[in-house]
Every structure is written in C-alpha cells, then in structure tokens.
Amino acid sequence: MRLAIILAAVSLASPLLAAEPWELITSIGYEESEADGEWKVTKTIPDALRTQADSFTITGYYVPVEAQAYVSQFLIVPDPADCPFCGSNGYGPTLEVHVTTPMPDLAEASEVTVTGKLNFDESTETYRAVYLTDATLLGTN
C-alpha cells in the first residue's frame, strides 16, 4: 500500500514520467536566436525523455525516405497527416529511425512499433532533437 501511494505521488509530481512517447517528443522546447548574423536553435529536452533513452519504444506511421526493397533508415510520425513529404498539412513531429538489420520496405503510413536507443542531437544548427538508432521493428499493423 505504501508503495502505491509513493508511486501515485511521483506520477502526480512528474506528469512527464508517465507520458506517452510522442507527448515526450513534442514537449521538447525550442528557442531560436540570432547574434552577429548567426542563427541558432537551443533545445530543451525533458529529463523524462532522457531517462528512457537506452530503451525507447514508440508506435507511429512509417514514412520511407528512399525507394528501396530493404530499408535501414526511415521516419515515423504520430499521424499519417504529419508526413513531411505528403500533402500540405505542414510539418509535424517526426522521428528518424535507423534499424540494425535492413527490413523489407513497407507500405507508406503502415503503423509500426520500434524499439531502440534514443539519441539526442544537441547541435544548435538543426531542429532535429532526437533520433533512434540500434532499432528493431517489433510489429506492424
């Protein structure tokens, strides 16, 4: 009973600890600045996201980046409408995925679940903040 109370208190105190993977990714803060003609972006990555980095599992929709029979790199998005190469809905959250073993190409917008190591791009020259490496495809729908 005491453990349940402690876990409930931790969850209430830190809502990001129980957040879904896409909620954590979209909670990354970005601040643009320019000084002496040089643009940069500073990213603030939530601690709750950093703590999951060694084993990060996420479900999203498959977006190929190259037309190949077998792929080792692709994007996933939380909603097919967020595809950065499709339509005119703008650019939503994306996660770049690098799998350890090339896998057969899938139909665009297939729902996939992947797991791997979440890496953080601290560069001030890009909006990319996270990407997944050493990934494995857990399943498709």
Side-chain angles (χ1 to χ4, degrees):
M1 178 69 171
R2 182 176 286 171
L3 180 60
I5 292 170
I6 291 170
L7 290 175
V10 169
S11 292
L12 291 173
S14 303
L16 286 179
L17 289 177
E20 295 293 324
W22 285 112
E23 290 173 353
L24 290 170
I25 289 172
T26 58
S27 69
I28 296 170
Y30 298 88
E31 184 177 328
E32 290 185 42
S33 61
E34 188 174 342
D36 300 323
E38 185 175 312
W39 174 89
K40 72 177 188 173
V41 61
T42 303
K43 302 161 215 154
T44 304
I45 299 171
D47 290 338
L49 187 56
R50 290 186 187 277
T51 61
Q52 296 183 25
D54 288 337
S55 181
F56 190 76
T57 301
I58 189 167
T59 298
Y61 295 90
Y62 176 79
V63 178
V65 293
E66 292 185 64
Q68 297 178 333
Y70 286 85
V71 296
S72 56
Q73 178 183 354
F74 54 92
L75 303 175
I76 61 172
V77 295
D79 184 305
D82 290 324
C83 170
F85 311 122
C86 313
S88 59
N89 288 336
Y91 192 80
T94 61
L95 180 62
E96 182 180 332
V97 178
H98 299 263
V99 291
T100 54
T101 304
M103 59 182 226
D105 193 19
L106 301 170
E108 187 172 322
S110 295
E111 187 178 47
V112 298
T113 300
V114 292
T115 190
K117 179 173 176 36
L118 193 65
N119 297 270
F120 304 98
D121 188 339
E122 306 287 352
S123 168
T124 59
E125 299 173 354
T126 179
Y127 263 89
R128 180 178 82 162
V130 292
Y131 58 99
L132 198 64
T133 58
D134 301 325
T136 303
L137 178 68
L138 297 179
T140 63
N141 281 340

